[in-house]
Amino acid sequence: MATFVLIHGAAADSWCWEPLAAELRGRGHEVVAPDLPCEDDTAGLAEYADAAVSAVSSSDASAVASERPAGDRTGPLVVVAHSFGGFTGPLVCARLPVDLLVMLQAQVPAPGETPGAWWENTGYPEARRESDRARGVAEGAEEDERALFLHDTPPALAEELLTEHGRRQSATPFGTPWPLEAWPQVPTRFLLATGDRFFPPAFLRRLVQARLGLRPDEMPGDHLPMLGHPEELAERLEAYLAAL
């Protein structure tokens, strides 16, 4: 059994992990899925990491209440960071004894880089234009959120996400430099969803190789593969655990 700490992206809440969380719990794992302070204009990256670390600590407190010793985990501690959560996940790894970090369609920060500068620094705008042209999307066209982010998500889940779980995203963390001097000394895997139109696969392959020196693993899905492919994602995560 492992404990999975699931870090959501921007303008979202922990609900986006529900199908995956149910799948992992059904396989005997523990899941901690914190809500980050997206709407708080006083919160930067440090406060996002605080929220995640606090959620893990609260999970340990719950263990005490149920007569299981705090921190008495029978398996590894795994952080899974999605999208903008890529700026927070490694910060959690720097503060907790994490055994594995899985970056899922995640932004990969560089030391001292702000999330706001990440887009130009990584060449994202041109990569996205190239990808859109290849898909026949006219330059400057505004795509529907379902088409851009959720085209491979079950319609009912996509509707619930968009109508009930969207949150205002404060701009504050986008001006906060990523504080680590180097990537944390934690085994890291990158899992790429091949159908994502927001973070095109070719762009992420280049980025992950350049910044992490890794070849990403690949699976089906759009920008939120935990909604459209929770069973396969759980299987991938368990395979990573087996390889530790």
Side-chain angles (χ1 to χ4, degrees):
M1 181 182 72
T3 297
F4 288 89
V5 183
L6 308 179
I7 310 295
H8 66 75
D13 65 16
S14 59
W15 177 88
C16 66
W17 295 109
E18 282 300 313
L20 176 64
E23 186 68 33
L24 290 171
R25 291 184 178 114
R27 295 166 183 250
H29 303 292
E30 295 185 18
V31 175
V32 179
D35 286 314
L36 304 184
C38 294
E39 297 165 318
D40 185 352
D41 290 326
T42 69
L45 295 177
E47 287 72 26
Y48 282 42
D50 287 345
V53 171
S54 176
V56 176
S57 299
S58 295
S59 175
D60 285 344
S62 296
V64 172
S66 62
E67 299 183 352
R68 180 169 62 80
D72 184 22
R73 305 186 185 280
T74 58
L77 181 63
V78 181
V79 171
V80 184
H82 174 251
S83 194
F84 183 46
F87 275 85
T88 301
L91 302 183
V92 176
C93 294
R95 294 173 55 181
L96 294 176
V98 174
D99 296 282
L100 176 66
L101 170 61
V102 180
M103 302 284 278
L104 176 66
Q105 286 303 105
Q107 293 176 264
V108 181
E113 182 176 60
T114 67
W118 181 90
W119 309 89
E120 290 289 343
N121 289 352
T122 59
Y124 173 81
E126 180 55 33
R128 175 68 187 283
R129 283 191 291 269
E130 290 177 3
S131 176
D132 287 352
R133 282 195 296 267
R135 293 193 296 113
V137 178
E139 187 165 351
E142 292 285 342
E143 282 197 271
D144 177 85
E145 286 185 305
R146 288 173 176 81
L148 182 59
F149 295 100
L150 299 163
H151 62 92
D152 194 39
T153 295
L157 290 178
E159 178 68 16
E160 185 169 356
L161 175 68
L162 293 174
T163 59
E164 299 184 30
H165 296 281
R167 298 169 66 193
R168 183 183 72 84
Q169 175 61 56
S170 169
T172 299
F174 290 89
T176 307
W178 195 63
L180 298 186
E181 295 182 358
W183 200 256
Q185 294 297 307
V186 173
T188 301
R189 304 295 291 264
F190 196 102
L191 187 52
L192 179 155
T194 55
D196 190 359
R197 296 169 178 171
F198 183 62
F199 285 162
F203 162 72
L204 282 183
R205 291 184 192 108
R206 293 193 298 269
L207 176 67
V208 173
Q209 180 61 48
R211 293 202 166 183
L212 295 178
L214 298 176
R215 180 178 179 178
D217 299 311
E218 303 189 10
M219 65 172 286
D222 51 30
H223 190 61
L224 288 95
M226 59 280 216
L227 288 177
H229 299 271
E231 183 176 355
E232 178 167 349
L233 180 49
E235 290 173 356
R236 296 292 189 116
L237 295 175
E238 287 194 321
Y240 290 157
L241 285 173
L244 285 177

